[in-house]
Amino acid sequence: MKWHTLLLVSITSLAAGSPVKARHEVKESHPVPRGWRRTSRAHPADSISLQIALEQGDFAGLEQSLYEVSTPDHPRYGQHLSAAEVHDLIKPSEDALAAVQAWLAGHGIVSDHVQYSEAKDWVTVSLPVATVERMLDTNYHYYVHDDGSKLLRTPQWSLPQHLHEHISTIQPTTSFFRPQHRRKLPIGHETFPIENIVATVPSAVNSSIAAVCNSTLLVTPDCIRTLYGTINYKVQAADKSFMALNDFLGEVNIRTDAELYLEAYRPEAEAAAQQFSQISINGGTVHQKLTSNDTEDGTGEEGNLDAQTMMGLAWPIPLVAYSTGGVNPTYIEDAYTGPTDSDEPYIRWLQYLLSLPDNALPSVVSTSYDDDEQTLPFSYASRACSMFAELGARGVTLLFASGDDGVGATGYCVSNNGTNATTFLPEFPSTCPYVTSVGATAHYNPEVAVYDDHFSSPFTSGGGFSNYFPRPAYQDASVPAYLSKYVGENYAGFYNPAGRAVPDLAAQGSNFTIYWNGSLHAISGTSASTPAMSAILALVNDALVAAGKAKLGFLNPWLYSTGRKAFTDILSGSSAGCNTSGFPAAPGWDAVTGWGTPRFSDILELRGVGGNASYGKH
Ligand SMILES: *[C@@H]1O[C@H](CO)[C@@H](O)[C@H](O)[C@H]1NC(C)=O
Ligand SMILES: *[C@@H]1O[C@H](CO)[C@@H](O)[C@H](O)[C@H]1NC(C)=O
Ligand SMILES: *[C@@H]1O[C@H](CO)[C@@H](O)[C@H](O)[C@H]1NC(C)=O
Ligand SMILES: *[C@@H]1O[C@H](CO)[C@@H](O)[C@H](O)[C@H]1NC(C)=O
Ligand SMILES: *[C@@H]1O[C@H](CO)[C@@H](O)[C@H](O)[C@H]1NC(C)=O
Ligand SMILES: *[C@@H]1O[C@H](CO)[C@@H](O)[C@H](O)[C@H]1NC(C)=O
Ligand SMILES: *[C@@H]1O[C@H](CO)[C@@H](O)[C@H](O)[C@H]1NC(C)=O
Ligand SMILES: *[C@@H]1O[C@H](CO)[C@@H](O)[C@H](O)[C@H]1NC(C)=O
Ligand SMILES: *[C@@H]1O[C@H](CO)[C@@H](O)[C@H](O)[C@H]1NC(C)=O
């Protein structure tokens, strides 16, 4: 990670004028999410890697730039910002920086232990628990999850009053966010009739959709490439852009499995299995051998799905896999041996990506991990969302899975605000207005919103409305009309009709083939839809870059104005969940499949790089 370390700050001069014993006031409380149990008190010498987010100087200016460069017809359309331009907008005020530095100095924190992000809007420092508890006037405990995960957290923290306006969030404190992958395996998948798969491999690129896509069979690259029309497209500028995927939670991408997959379904791409890059961030695992524990708990299924799908569809566009560590802390009692591994993986990944120079950024990033929005504090969600905006302004397209449980998994749709009220459960980061949320379809001719009950809970496309982020302007022309026409008074009180609505679009998500642990498996989820959609957009970027045009960048302002015309409207199904039938698919935008599924050649045409009618229009 690229950090800028300030070595020249004089501690004593700063400490001299600082209010060392200022009165603390509560800055934030957030309920501990279900599934977590408070256990032992943290040892005073345990180490915390404290991440302090300073209030950004001009986020409104950044947001305005983001929309200007992402909105067709605006004079700045496509003129993505450089790293330096972004940093200049978001850098904290000198007052904020000085106040925070004085506060740290007042606690005896020497400046050469302090790290700053490029824009200095993040300050990171490793400290013993005892110091952090004094600084934040709080008590840390270990919290243990039902699944055995352990985190060092506190549900409430305070700051001296004069710092409240300068600091947006501090973590790890209140966020129990654990990005969970969105993949579903059929119950008893070991008996799945996978011998049928071979039949879907076509002998010629001109196969009809019916010949390669068949609901009784599994989804292979040939089906997706034929269905969405990329099969005749030749990548033109593979050295000029690349695509990326995220691994969290110890997920891995096994090269030998990818090799088997590509050999079977995209033989010309086989070498890519050994060539894609794996980057470890914050100790993220990149191992290549599944242990017996891995095969027992399915580690690598998500990572393999993402990598295999993207290479199978978008080869020879290079792929980079980012593996970010930071979920299950290594609990080292008594020893101040450096940071524990219990910090926030999303923020770590974002800090890493934002520190890269412009030419090292991917054109598209696929992320199949999310968590119920209510499990994270607003301050954290809000800052992570701003960081997505920074990436969008720099021209990166960010796609996130919308979730696999419709409006929420039945049995879990309970508010954590102390009332236990029934509530739908939108998924973050999909609900951030600066990213693109991907739902799932199934079947062909026509495609419908997915419904598959071969799982412990049915697989339906995640859809709904944020409780944290208001509806962005680009949704004003479609979402309120959808609600009044197709939802009416249904579900009143269960969701926030004024919130950012998801998803934005959709792609096939059921019964994808993957190789894992050396053999074929079937896998479903918006976890499949998201890498599929990401690969298709990586191909669009290839056509744009080859023609000397700007990359897609933040998709939504284009999608909701002209882009939607290049998507096939999905008309049936719903985001069933929370023991309701959820929001219905409907003409135009809907809260289950967004604008629908892509037609590649029409996207190229709308972007002014069409021309080859034979790309696969059907
Ligand atoms: C493939 O489709 C194109 C356009 O429809 C047609 O001209 C060509 O003859 C077809 N090729 C084969 C091998 O069927
Ligand atoms: C789908 O596959 C099944 C089983 O192989 C076959 O019976 C059926 O005819 C196929 N459907 C189409 C539309 O090709
Ligand atoms: C466009 O079509 C021509 C003729 O079919 C083909 O040679 C060329 O490779 C195609 N271009 C792309 C970018 O696919
Ligand atoms: C496998 O899991 C068990 C039970 O959680 C644990 O005790 C063991 O250390 C793990 N083995 C490895 C190699 O990680
Ligand atoms: C994984 O592969 C090993 C070696 O082929 C095999 O023994 C084991 O049963 C497999 N595990 C699963 C869960 O498929
Ligand atoms: C779902 O709703 C039905 C009827 O309204 C009710 O009987 C059932 O208990 C509910 N199930 C859950 C899991 O809430
Ligand atoms: C909410 O549910 C939890 C867990 O079932 C229970 O302990 C708590 O008392 C409930 N609170 C209210 C206000 O009903
Ligand atoms: C708690 O959450 C429910 C469901 O989202 C909402 O209707 C209610 O107003 C909230 N109550 C409080 C006190 O925040
Ligand atoms: C996935 O495949 C299984 C097994 O053939 C089938 O029962 C199920 O309906 C399929 N799901 C979808 C959504 O097509």
Side-chain angles (χ1 to χ4, degrees):
M1 201 175 311
K2 234 170 101 194
W3 290 106
H4 181 66
T5 304
L6 281 191
L7 291 165
L8 300 176
V9 178
S10 157
I11 296 306
T12 40
S13 69
L14 280 172
S18 66
V20 171
K21 198 82 191 99
R23 228 172 70 82
H24 278 73
E25 282 174 25
V26 172
K27 170 76 175 165
E28 184 178 59
S29 311
H30 186 77
V32 175
R34 260 151 223 276
W36 290 98
R37 197 165 36 82
R38 194 173 89 173
T39 64
S40 61
R41 186 93 153 70
H43 191 281
D46 287 345
S47 167
I48 290 178
S49 173
L50 201 66
Q51 299 185 287
I52 304 166
L54 275 63
E55 197 60 37
Q56 297 182 320
D58 185 15
F59 180 74
L62 176 87
E63 188 193 37
Q64 188 186 338
S65 293
L66 170 70
Y67 280 118
E68 288 179 0
V69 302
S70 311
T71 302
D73 302 335
H74 194 278
R76 289 180 73 192
Y77 185 53
Q79 295 170 31
H80 298 125
L81 277 67
S82 67
E85 287 167 326
V86 167
H87 295 158
D88 202 47
L89 285 164
I90 60 164
K91 66 173 192 268
S93 70
E94 280 169 24
D95 282 358
L97 196 58
V100 169
Q101 286 171 337
W103 175 55
L104 295 174
H107 285 274
I109 295 160
V110 289
S111 61
D112 57 1
H113 286 178
V114 179
Q115 295 175 310
Y116 294 84
S117 64
E118 213 70 27
K120 299 207 180 73
D121 61 328
W122 281 98
V123 174
T124 304
V125 57
S126 286
L127 296 169
V129 162
T131 306
V132 178
E133 290 188 339
R134 273 198 306 278
M135 293 167 70
L136 305 182
D137 191 21
T138 189
N139 291 329
Y140 275 84
H141 284 82
Y142 279 95
Y143 289 82
V144 175
H145 193 264
D146 294 343
D147 70 10
S149 307
K150 201 169 180 183
L151 290 176
L152 191 51
R153 292 290 185 271
T154 171
Q156 178 173 305
W157 54 284
S158 301
L159 281 177
Q161 222 291 321
H162 74 284
L163 290 174
H164 279 225
E165 59 174 313
H166 297 312
I167 290 177
S168 325
T169 186
I170 295 182
Q171 296 297 340
T173 51
T174 43
S175 176
F176 288 75
F177 183 45
R178 294 185 321 150
Q180 301 175 47
H181 46 60
R182 292 301 169 194
R183 62 105 176 86
K184 292 205 177 206
L185 292 165
I187 296 166
H189 60 95
E190 61 281 359
T191 61
F192 206 84
I194 50 179
E195 61 273 11
N196 286 340
I197 300 165
V198 179
T200 68
V201 179
S203 50
V205 293
N206 269 13
S207 308
S208 65
I209 291 172
V212 288
C213 296
N214 181 329
S215 296
T216 68
L217 304 174
L218 299 186
V219 173
T220 64
D222 281 306
C223 169
I224 298 292
R225 295 171 74 215
T226 304
L227 182 64
Y228 298 140
T230 63
I231 194 151
N232 291 331
Y233 179 74
K234 303 253 177 319
V235 169
Q236 306 168 72
D239 56 336
K240 293 213 178 78
S241 71
F242 66 96
M243 57 188 178
L245 63 84
N246 269 325
D247 293 311
F248 294 111
L249 295 171
E251 271 298 317
V252 290
N253 320 100
I254 304 295
R255 294 185 188 279
T256 50
D257 286 333
E259 201 157 24
L260 292 168
Y261 175 90
L262 293 170
E263 187 182 29
Y265 303 116
R266 196 79 203 267
E268 72 270 34
E270 194 183 330
Q274 297 300 332
Q275 288 163 353
F276 73 89
S277 310
Q278 294 181 292
I279 295 179
S280 166
I281 300 163
N282 193 34
T285 172
V286 292
H287 67 252
Q288 282 298 318
K289 204 151 174 53
L290 296 175
T291 64
S292 57
N293 280 6
D294 287 341
T295 57
E296 215 146 278
D297 64 16
T299 296
E301 286 165 346
E302 176 69 56
N304 278 4
L305 169 65
D306 298 345
Q308 291 171 20
T309 300
M310 291 179 82
M311 288 189 288
L313 298 179
W315 176 85
I317 294 175
L319 171 69
V320 173
Y322 302 112
S323 294
T324 307
V327 152
N328 299 310
T330 327
Y331 179 42
I332 307 167
E333 205 165 0
D334 281 334
Y336 178 27
T337 55
T340 60
D341 191 19
S342 67
D343 45 42
E344 283 299 336
Y346 260 118
I347 294 288
R348 284 292 189 175
W349 172 70
L350 282 161
Q351 289 173 338
Y352 168 80
L353 218 63
L354 285 164
S355 75
L356 296 174
D358 297 326
N359 63 6
L361 289 180
S363 74
V364 178
V365 186
S366 177
T367 309
S368 293
Y369 302 74
D370 52 31
D371 202 352
D372 299 341
E373 191 183 67
Q374 69 171 0
T375 65
L376 48 144
F378 174 73
S379 70
Y380 172 93
S382 169
R383 175 51 77 93
C385 187
S386 315
M387 295 169 88
F388 295 131
E390 293 166 40
L391 283 171
R394 290 175 66 186
V396 181
T397 304
L398 298 167
L399 279 77
F400 288 87
S402 72
D404 295 349
D405 300 298
V407 292
T410 298
Y412 296 89
C413 303
V414 178
S415 170
N416 68 350
N417 66 8
T419 63
N420 289 350
T422 299
T423 185
F424 289 168
L425 296 175
E427 298 288 305
F428 182 85
S430 257
T431 53
C432 169
Y434 314 124
V435 306
T436 298
S437 171
V438 185
T441 58
H443 304 308
Y444 314 97
N445 200 13
E447 288 182 78
V448 302
V450 66
Y451 183 89
D452 192 340
D453 59 5
H454 294 79
F455 304 100
S456 49
S457 64
F459 170 30
T460 58
S461 178
F465 296 79
S466 177
N467 289 311
Y468 281 180
F469 301 101
R471 182 175 61 245
Y474 61 76
Q475 292 190 320
D476 283 349
S478 47
V479 173
Y482 166 79
L483 283 176
S484 65
K485 192 152 180 202
Y486 300 106
V487 181
E489 293 308 304
N490 282 346
Y491 315 136
F494 292 180
Y495 76 101
N496 168 25
R500 186 280 201 253
V502 292
D504 300 304
L505 41 69
Q508 288 280 322
S510 261
N511 289 340
F512 275 44
T513 45
I514 61 161
Y515 271 84
W516 176 78
N517 192 34
S519 59
L520 270 179
H521 293 264
I523 192 163
S524 299
T526 46
S527 269
S529 314
T530 307
M533 192 64 220
S534 299
I536 290 164
L537 295 182
L539 293 171
V540 174
N541 274 325
D542 177 75
L544 292 170
V545 169
K549 296 189 168 224
K551 284 179 262 196
L552 290 166
F554 172 41
L555 203 65
N556 295 4
W558 170 77
L559 177 66
Y560 281 76
S561 51
T562 55
R564 63 194 167 85
K565 294 176 204 134
F567 287 75
T568 300
D569 199 0
I570 306 301
L571 299 171
S572 66
S574 72
S575 49
C578 296
N579 209 15
T580 72
S581 58
F583 298 108
W589 182 90
D590 56 64
V592 49
T593 58
W595 290 106
T597 58
R599 292 190 308 274
F600 182 66
S601 61
D602 289 348
I603 297 177
L604 294 192
E605 212 140 295
L606 283 179
R607 303 298 298 213
V609 288
N612 269 20
S614 64
Y615 281 153
K617 225 173 193 169
H618 286 280

